[in-house]
Amino acid sequence: MEIKYTVQGLLIYITIAAYLLALLMSIFRLKKLGQLLYIFGFVAAVVSFGYRWYHVRHVPMQNLFEVFLCLGMIYPVSLFCRRVLRVGGQSADMLIGIVVLFPVGFIFNANPQKLPPALQSWLFVPHVAVYVLSYIFMAKAVFHAVLQLIGKTPGPQGNLLPPEEATYRMICVGFPLLTIGLVLGSVWGKLAWGDYWGWDPKELWSLASWLVYVGYLHFRYMYGKKHAQINSIWAITGLVVIVVTLLWVNLSRFFPGLHNYGAG
């Protein structure tokens, strides 16, 4: 663990502190103050992302440090989910922001890197961006899946969906993004390495995470809410596979492959 005594580090710590204070205010039912702190944290996250962009001279989505920095800009997803999808969990979103930014601030290497030739493609930004968005939706789905498993329901505020339906709706949004990311990655592989599929560990685990959610959607389509607990466990399993795809495959020496530059 290492503290980053840089402008970039300061911006990250400000964001984490704002999200943490926002979460505490929400817990103590000071919701307006919590909302203001959450928005302030989002602004700090955007400034941090912009500063990184200026520093490295390319869209900062190259390695785990930059991808997790991007994941920290979660507020627009919170707003979209509540106002459009009728899915709550803003306090959980604050916690997600803290969790993804912690390794950015204390673990991942922040040294700038030059883009390798394989990343110098017009597919670089859309491929990574849709995956980042899908991961946020799948993380939110897990929060509601856990609520369903422990038997909690949202309070009477804003006509929000119950946890099992909220989980399903999150996955219905995240799964197409996951699919687009997989397809764009395949096209990119053809352009960069001459083949649509290279049996690279990152490709295989990305396919595995996609197949888990295919299984979830098929099971729920067949049985609906009759087995709500199984639905929730399946959703949680999907995020576990995503974590393996995102972290273990990039960081472990047991998975050498074409995507290991992502470790930073």
Side-chain angles (χ1 to χ4, degrees), residues 132-143:
V132 166
L133 267 178
S134 71
Y135 292 163
I136 292 175
F137 280 108
M138 297 316 190
K140 282 180 64 64
V142 164
F143 166 73

PDB file of all heavy atoms in Angstrom, residues 132-143:
ATOM      1  N   VAL A 132     -16.883  -0.868 -18.954  1.00  0.00           N
ATOM      2  CA  VAL A 132     -16.924  -0.136 -17.681  1.00  0.00           C
ATOM      3  C   VAL A 132     -18.371   0.104 -17.255  1.00  0.00           C
ATOM      4  O   VAL A 132     -18.741  -0.126 -16.094  1.00  0.00           O
ATOM      5  CB  VAL A 132     -16.157   1.199 -17.801  1.00  0.00           C
ATOM      6  CG1 VAL A 132     -16.468   2.112 -16.615  1.00  0.00           C
ATOM      7  CG2 VAL A 132     -14.651   0.948 -17.878  1.00  0.00           C
ATOM      8  N   LEU A 133     -19.203   0.547 -18.187  1.00  0.00           N
ATOM      9  CA  LEU A 133     -20.614   0.777 -17.874  1.00  0.00           C
ATOM     10  C   LEU A 133     -21.303  -0.523 -17.459  1.00  0.00           C
ATOM     11  O   LEU A 133     -22.079  -0.549 -16.494  1.00  0.00           O
ATOM     12  CB  LEU A 133     -21.329   1.377 -19.086  1.00  0.00           C
ATOM     13  CG  LEU A 133     -21.419   2.897 -19.161  1.00  0.00           C
ATOM     14  CD1 LEU A 133     -22.121   3.312 -20.448  1.00  0.00           C
ATOM     15  CD2 LEU A 133     -22.163   3.463 -17.949  1.00  0.00           C
ATOM     16  N   SER A 134     -21.029  -1.587 -18.194  1.00  0.00           N
ATOM     17  CA  SER A 134     -21.672  -2.862 -17.862  1.00  0.00           C
ATOM     18  C   SER A 134     -21.268  -3.328 -16.471  1.00  0.00           C
ATOM     19  O   SER A 134     -22.103  -3.848 -15.714  1.00  0.00           O
ATOM     20  CB  SER A 134     -21.318  -3.922 -18.911  1.00  0.00           C
ATOM     21  OG  SER A 134     -19.959  -4.322 -18.825  1.00  0.00           O
ATOM     22  N   TYR A 135     -20.006  -3.129 -16.095  1.00  0.00           N
ATOM     23  CA  TYR A 135     -19.547  -3.554 -14.779  1.00  0.00           C
ATOM     24  C   TYR A 135     -20.261  -2.784 -13.667  1.00  0.00           C
ATOM     25  O   TYR A 135     -20.580  -3.354 -12.614  1.00  0.00           O
ATOM     26  CB  TYR A 135     -18.036  -3.350 -14.654  1.00  0.00           C
ATOM     27  CG  TYR A 135     -17.209  -4.260 -15.539  1.00  0.00           C
ATOM     28  CD1 TYR A 135     -15.867  -3.969 -15.810  1.00  0.00           C
ATOM     29  CD2 TYR A 135     -17.752  -5.402 -16.126  1.00  0.00           C
ATOM     30  CE1 TYR A 135     -15.098  -4.803 -16.622  1.00  0.00           C
ATOM     31  CE2 TYR A 135     -16.979  -6.229 -16.933  1.00  0.00           C
ATOM     32  CZ  TYR A 135     -15.657  -5.918 -17.183  1.00  0.00           C
ATOM     33  OH  TYR A 135     -14.900  -6.737 -17.988  1.00  0.00           O
ATOM     34  N   ILE A 136     -20.514  -1.502 -13.897  1.00  0.00           N
ATOM     35  CA  ILE A 136     -21.223  -0.717 -12.882  1.00  0.00           C
ATOM     36  C   ILE A 136     -22.650  -1.242 -12.697  1.00  0.00           C
ATOM     37  O   ILE A 136     -23.128  -1.418 -11.568  1.00  0.00           O
ATOM     38  CB  ILE A 136     -21.236   0.774 -13.267  1.00  0.00           C
ATOM     39  CG1 ILE A 136     -19.824   1.360 -13.194  1.00  0.00           C
ATOM     40  CG2 ILE A 136     -22.156   1.556 -12.334  1.00  0.00           C
ATOM     41  CD1 ILE A 136     -19.725   2.791 -13.681  1.00  0.00           C
ATOM     42  N   PHE A 137     -23.330  -1.517 -13.799  1.00  0.00           N
ATOM     43  CA  PHE A 137     -24.694  -2.033 -13.694  1.00  0.00           C
ATOM     44  C   PHE A 137     -24.717  -3.404 -13.029  1.00  0.00           C
ATOM     45  O   PHE A 137     -25.607  -3.697 -12.210  1.00  0.00           O
ATOM     46  CB  PHE A 137     -25.340  -2.100 -15.088  1.00  0.00           C
ATOM     47  CG  PHE A 137     -25.848  -0.791 -15.579  1.00  0.00           C
ATOM     48  CD1 PHE A 137     -25.201  -0.107 -16.603  1.00  0.00           C
ATOM     49  CD2 PHE A 137     -26.988  -0.210 -15.027  1.00  0.00           C
ATOM     50  CE1 PHE A 137     -25.672   1.112 -17.061  1.00  0.00           C
ATOM     51  CE2 PHE A 137     -27.467   1.010 -15.475  1.00  0.00           C
ATOM     52  CZ  PHE A 137     -26.804   1.672 -16.503  1.00  0.00           C
ATOM     53  N   MET A 138     -23.752  -4.242 -13.337  1.00  0.00           N
ATOM     54  CA  MET A 138     -23.708  -5.574 -12.729  1.00  0.00           C
ATOM     55  C   MET A 138     -23.378  -5.485 -11.238  1.00  0.00           C
ATOM     56  O   MET A 138     -23.861  -6.296 -10.438  1.00  0.00           O
ATOM     57  CB  MET A 138     -22.691  -6.451 -13.446  1.00  0.00           C
ATOM     58  CG  MET A 138     -23.007  -6.726 -14.918  1.00  0.00           C
ATOM     59  SD  MET A 138     -24.751  -7.140 -15.223  1.00  0.00           S
ATOM     60  CE  MET A 138     -24.655  -7.681 -16.943  1.00  0.00           C
ATOM     61  N   ALA A 139     -22.545  -4.504 -10.856  1.00  0.00           N
ATOM     62  CA  ALA A 139     -22.255  -4.304  -9.430  1.00  0.00           C
ATOM     63  C   ALA A 139     -23.505  -3.850  -8.685  1.00  0.00           C
ATOM     64  O   ALA A 139     -23.781  -4.302  -7.566  1.00  0.00           O
ATOM     65  CB  ALA A 139     -21.120  -3.291  -9.260  1.00  0.00           C
ATOM     66  N   LYS A 140     -24.272  -2.948  -9.305  1.00  0.00           N
ATOM     67  CA  LYS A 140     -25.537  -2.518  -8.693  1.00  0.00           C
ATOM     68  C   LYS A 140     -26.511  -3.687  -8.590  1.00  0.00           C
ATOM     69  O   LYS A 140     -27.265  -3.804  -7.612  1.00  0.00           O
ATOM     70  CB  LYS A 140     -26.157  -1.387  -9.507  1.00  0.00           C
ATOM     71  CG  LYS A 140     -25.522  -0.019  -9.272  1.00  0.00           C
ATOM     72  CD  LYS A 140     -26.179   1.058 -10.098  1.00  0.00           C
ATOM     73  CE  LYS A 140     -27.635   1.280  -9.727  1.00  0.00           C
ATOM     74  NZ  LYS A 140     -27.845   1.772  -8.356  1.00  0.00           N
ATOM     75  N   ALA A 141     -26.511  -4.555  -9.602  1.00  0.00           N
ATOM     76  CA  ALA A 141     -27.389  -5.723  -9.570  1.00  0.00           C
ATOM     77  C   ALA A 141     -27.087  -6.594  -8.359  1.00  0.00           C
ATOM     78  O   ALA A 141     -28.002  -7.130  -7.715  1.00  0.00           O
ATOM     79  CB  ALA A 141     -27.240  -6.525 -10.862  1.00  0.00           C
ATOM     80  N   VAL A 142     -25.800  -6.750  -8.042  1.00  0.00           N
ATOM     81  CA  VAL A 142     -25.406  -7.571  -6.899  1.00  0.00           C
ATOM     82  C   VAL A 142     -25.924  -6.989  -5.587  1.00  0.00           C
ATOM     83  O   VAL A 142     -26.370  -7.718  -4.696  1.00  0.00           O
ATOM     84  CB  VAL A 142     -23.872  -7.735  -6.859  1.00  0.00           C
ATOM     85  CG1 VAL A 142     -23.404  -8.230  -5.498  1.00  0.00           C
ATOM     86  CG2 VAL A 142     -23.435  -8.698  -7.937  1.00  0.00           C
ATOM     87  N   PHE A 143     -25.893  -5.668  -5.453  1.00  0.00           N
ATOM     88  CA  PHE A 143     -26.417  -5.034  -4.239  1.00  0.00           C
ATOM     89  C   PHE A 143     -27.874  -5.424  -4.021  1.00  0.00           C
ATOM     90  O   PHE A 143     -28.286  -5.817  -2.923  1.00  0.00           O
ATOM     91  CB  PHE A 143     -26.275  -3.511  -4.345  1.00  0.00           C
ATOM     92  CG  PHE A 143     -27.065  -2.762  -3.311  1.00  0.00           C
ATOM     93  CD1 PHE A 143     -26.670  -2.750  -1.988  1.00  0.00           C
ATOM     94  CD2 PHE A 143     -28.224  -2.074  -3.665  1.00  0.00           C
ATOM     95  CE1 PHE A 143     -27.406  -2.063  -1.022  1.00  0.00           C
ATOM     96  CE2 PHE A 143     -28.961  -1.390  -2.719  1.00  0.00           C
ATOM     97  CZ  PHE A 143     -28.557  -1.387  -1.389  1.00  0.00           C
TER      98      PHE A 143
END
